[in-house]
Amino acid sequence: MEAHNRWFILFTVFIALLLAVMPLPYDWLWFRPAFCALLVIFWTTRMPQSLGVGFAWLIGIAEDLVTGSTLGAHALSLAVLAYFSLLTYQRTRAFNPAQQLMWVFVLVGINQLLGNWVHSLVGKTVPGLTFLWPALTTALLWPLVTPWLHGMASRLRVR
Amino acid sequence: MLGLVAGALILVNIYTDWLDPLKERAASLAAPFYWITGTPGRVGDWAGDQLRTREELVEENSRLKHQVMLLEQQTQLLAAVRAENTQLKELMNSAETVDQRVLVAQVIGVSPDPLEHVLIIDKGRSDGVKQGTAIMDASGLLGQVIEAGDYSSRVLLITDTGHALPVQVLRNSVRAVAEGTGDLYRLELRHLANTSDIREGDLLLSSGLGGRFPAGYPVGEVIAVRRDPGRAFADVDVQPRGQMNRSRFVLAVIGSQD
């Protein structure tokens, strides 16, 4: 059996989970990028043949358990995110960086929308469109992180 | 399909408590993540302790000695007052108040969700902390434990929108319910009649009604009272005494020694 270096995927997920609970000053909490969502978009776009909705769902459950949010909230939003990302991965690959950035904003926005829906089920209301801030910060993070992720994944021949 | 499973999970999670044991298990699973991400902060603290000049330490030492002396003197007074108090209570045939056992815990994380005010502390069921344990710091009440894992627990702060606790005014024992607003520096008193005697600067203590929190711990100070004659209730803003955002060490009040 060949080495696929799949551990790198798990490693990135682990880092994303760490970043998701990293302590931040209270006023900055809204600007924390959705690291797991970014990873899901990245991996489903890079390896759509092997990583899919189930992968995203598992990451979501892990994130729910680690952050202590309503169980299933992130699983739902990330699974839906992975579905849309898989539908459009060919286009995402062909986009230029600016288009990619905007598309990531839209995708993570959908993710945040679902998260916000679960929040409202629990009775937590958000003033205005604040819940979209992570979509913006994630989109801005995308062009900074993806070259490195692509580089590492190519060098390690992650398949 | 998986979306449906997730949706079902969410509903089960919200409307039933079937998943609670699982979530408590998850609390101990999540603790290492908070511990790792807390490392830079701890290194900073450690460096702050190590890289201090001798003069600073000497100065701090003498200041602390001073403080200990003052506190000891106050405790001596307190012993006399307590003895007198028990005597009076015996005379009145009322229930005796018992000492509470207190445990020091370290805050190892903060919930990443800006909509909930939750701390993660490094004490759990193995240390006697359980669901409902009151958590406080040196200056006032902070919150209560909502999920107790084996070695860590999640603490809901009194400023969370989903939290309310019974309080009473120190000056005249007016009772009220202090509700969290989602703002770390503000509580609100609910359904307090316009005519009730409350004013700025009043200190609020936990009243012990409801049996969740021990009675008599400081909760906050009234900072604004707005009375609108057209409405039935007054708007009362309270500033919590506890340092919601700053405490690194907290106290868990684990029941009475009976």
Side-chain angles (χ1 to χ4, degrees):
Chain A
M1 193 179 135
E2 274 182 272
H4 292 312
N5 280 333
R6 286 278 169 86
W7 60 267
F8 182 66
I9 302 174
L10 285 181
F11 174 73
T12 55
V13 170
F14 180 71
I15 297 292
L17 287 177
L18 281 184
L19 289 172
V21 297
M22 184 180 64
L24 280 182
Y26 182 71
D27 298 326
W28 295 5
L29 279 184
W30 274 117
F31 304 105
R32 184 200 298 274
F35 294 102
C36 288
L38 189 144
L39 269 193
V40 166
I41 302 178
F42 175 82
W43 285 117
T44 49
T45 308
R46 189 179 164 88
M47 305 169 62
Q49 69 290 354
S50 46
L51 298 175
V53 177
F55 163 73
W57 193 84
L58 285 177
I59 295 186
I61 285 289
E63 193 178 0
D64 284 328
L65 290 176
V66 169
T67 60
S69 54
T70 312
L71 205 58
H74 286 104
L76 173 70
S77 62
L78 287 182
V80 172
L81 174 71
Y83 176 71
F84 281 119
S85 177
L86 282 174
L87 276 184
T88 58
Y89 76 92
Q90 283 158 325
R91 260 183 266 176
T92 316
R93 285 176 178 180
F95 281 155
N96 67 39
Q99 287 171 318
Q100 268 191 4
L101 197 144
M102 279 188 277
W103 184 233
V104 169
F105 176 75
V106 172
L107 285 177
V108 182
I110 294 170
N111 177 62
Q112 292 303 113
L113 204 66
L114 285 165
N116 190 45
W117 174 71
V118 176
H119 266 141
S120 63
L121 272 185
V122 202
K124 297 195 154 105
T125 48
V126 186
L129 289 175
T130 359
F131 68 90
L132 281 181
W133 275 115
L136 186 66
T137 50
T138 314
L140 293 176
L141 200 65
W142 177 263
L144 303 176
V145 175
T146 44
W148 180 79
L149 279 174
H150 273 302
M152 284 304 284
S154 303
R155 189 174 315 161
L156 292 168
R157 305 219 172 90
V158 181
R159 275 180 293 137
Chain B
M1 181 61 210
L2 282 166
L4 283 182
V5 175
L9 257 182
I10 293 170
L11 294 180
V12 168
N13 198 192
I14 294 175
Y15 294 112
T16 71
D17 51 8
W18 300 338
L19 289 177
D20 283 4
L22 185 70
K23 292 198 84 175
E24 292 194 342
R25 201 65 55 77
S28 31
L29 190 134
F33 284 88
Y34 291 98
W35 188 84
I36 294 174
T37 53
T39 307
R42 275 198 306 280
V43 170
D45 282 356
W46 178 83
D49 282 347
Q50 297 295 313
L51 304 176
R52 262 201 269 171
T53 62
R54 190 171 170 278
E55 284 85 65
E56 276 177 337
L57 286 175
V58 169
E59 197 210 335
E60 194 188 43
N61 197 0
S62 67
R63 201 180 63 237
L64 289 175
K65 271 183 185 158
H66 215 82
Q67 208 175 351
V68 166
M69 221 157 80
L70 283 174
L71 288 174
E72 267 177 358
Q73 188 254 341
Q74 280 172 15
T75 342
Q76 281 169 19
L77 273 181
L78 199 67
V81 172
R82 182 182 287 164
E84 193 182 41
N85 195 17
T86 15
Q87 209 179 358
L88 289 172
K89 280 205 163 149
E90 273 167 11
L91 282 177
M92 289 169 71
N93 283 329
S94 65
E96 200 176 337
T97 50
V98 273
D99 281 344
Q100 253 109 21
R101 203 152 69 85
V102 169
L103 188 77
V104 179
Q106 193 177 358
V107 176
I108 54 172
V110 180
S111 166
D113 187 346
L115 286 178
E116 58 175 24
H117 295 173
V118 172
L119 299 178
I120 293 97
I121 59 171
D122 69 342
K123 293 282 185 288
R125 274 199 300 260
S126 60
D127 308 285
V129 172
K130 51 181 189 284
Q131 201 180 27
T133 299
I135 302 291
M136 47 188 298
D137 69 359
S139 34
L141 214 55
L142 285 182
Q144 58 174 306
V145 172
I146 46 170
E147 281 162 27
D150 286 335
Y151 301 103
S152 68
S153 358
R154 292 164 59 80
V155 177
L156 187 70
L157 298 182
I158 56 176
T159 49
D160 187 278
T161 41
H163 196 280
L165 86 157
V167 294
Q168 69 185 55
V169 179
L170 173 67
R171 183 166 54 85
N172 52 11
S173 301
V174 167
R175 285 188 305 273
V177 172
E179 213 178 56
T181 56
D183 177 346
L184 276 175
Y185 304 103
R186 201 165 66 86
L187 301 169
E188 270 176 6
L189 294 191
R190 297 282 286 173
H191 307 306
L192 196 63
N194 252 337
T195 50
S196 50
D197 176 16
I198 189 159
R199 55 182 183 232
E200 281 176 37
D202 275 346
L203 181 65
L204 300 178
L205 306 179
S206 56
S207 72
L209 294 176
R212 213 9 109 73
F213 288 103
Y217 285 115
V219 172
E221 199 173 298
V222 176
I223 48 171
V225 183
R226 288 180 300 277
R227 291 193 169 88
D228 179 357
R231 291 166 55 193
F233 302 113
D235 282 338
V236 181
D237 288 349
V238 176
Q239 186 173 31
R241 264 296 185 83
Q243 304 281 307
M244 301 295 158
N245 213 359
R246 258 164 264 165
S247 308
R248 214 158 168 78
F249 290 97
V250 296
L251 304 170
V253 185
I254 42 180
S256 43
Q257 280 179 319
D258 47 5

